[in-house]
Amino acid sequence: MKIVALKESHEPRVALVPDAVKKLCQLEGIEVAVESQLSPMITDQAYEEAGAEVVESRQDLLASADINVSVNAPLIEDIKQMKKGSLCISFLDPYNDTERIKTLQASGVNAISMEMLPRTTLAQKMDAISSQASLAGYVAVVLGANKLDRIFPMMMTPSGTIPPAKVFVIGAGVAGLQAIATAKRLGARVEAFDTRPVVEEQVTSLGAKFVKVDLGETGQNKDGYANALTDEQLKIQQQAMAKSCVNADLVITTAKLFGRKAPVIVTDDILKDMRDGAVIIDLAAGCGGNVEGTVVDETVNVHGVNIVGIDNLPGEVAYDASSMYASNLYHLISHFYDQETHTMSLDQSDEIMNGCLVVRDAQVVNERLKEIYGG
């Protein structure tokens, strides 16, 4: 079984690193090939020493691969050149990128969407959403500290005492918790809010103050994601958030709704009341933004507040992000690899495969997606 990784388009991360290549090649019957100059961070020689074949021709790789792995969804022209019956594994955004899913169907290419993996104990090592979100939370704080006009820790000097910076984190999922932990390590005073009261203990265990807002019934879905709020609940949340945002030097928003536009939490009215020089890092910029006025991949100044809308925060630490993603892929492939038949099982009687398999035999087989694509 041949696993192939191609160069990404406008993406600093890569799907395979030498350590993951070495582990894959230790599985009987697996060979790995990568496109030449796959990554500016890693030499072709390093891939070859790990056991991969380095190939110049992209077309040859596409035609010969049994499994195509990538970070982002493959280019449509690449899908059309993939071998019929082969398997594509990447982030696919299947709720929104319908053209690509239909191209996979038309080309007879099977597909696994990494963001569709169920959040179960067994699937933790494969959970690329969580691994990348954790890095995004870290980067958000470091980026915010760099753009802020004051220091994070309290500092006692002969000139007087400098108070610690105030950081407010909205959303205490994986990214939010990592942001809280990083901000605390840098010495900031941290507050956090989440619509799920169940995460209060996690927030306080990291040394942050949990901002309580009575929104009525909210909760989370079976995968641990926060449920969408009603319009009334969203208004209550915005009013409650206003005070914490106004008092903060740095606000980090992490509220995303899987497959849907992100809710606007920080409104223009809130921005008007925030201090000049305050910074907001909007982790939901790529899916609509949590902040009114966010522009994807740009930093804009609105009412004196700097709003940073970098979509690919894990890409800012591409080496570690690639290593973590490659590890997720290795655990996924090795879990379903049959060493007797030298094939990867796509049996949907398995809970994990049933959750992440999107296309099989030219049909959309994922129950959550059939309303969009039929099947």
Side-chain angles (χ1 to χ4, degrees), residues 66-125:
D66 296 302
I67 298 181
N68 296 275
V69 294
S70 58
V71 179
N72 294 321
L75 301 173
I76 285 178
E77 52 265 37
D78 284 346
I79 295 172
K80 292 176 180 178
Q81 296 181 65
M82 290 178 184
K83 185 168 63 175
K84 186 176 182 180
S86 62
L87 175 65
C88 165
I89 308 176
S90 70
F91 288 116
L92 287 174
D93 190 17
Y95 283 99
N96 300 304
D97 197 352
T98 55
E99 182 184 2
R100 212 171 307 267
I101 299 299
K102 289 176 180 177
T103 304
L104 287 162
Q105 286 182 267
S107 303
V109 176
N110 302 320
I112 286 175
S113 177
M114 291 300 284
E115 58 264 68
M116 299 288 283
L117 277 159
R119 303 188 80 179
T120 62
T121 302
L122 188 59
Q124 278 184 340
K125 292 182 179 180

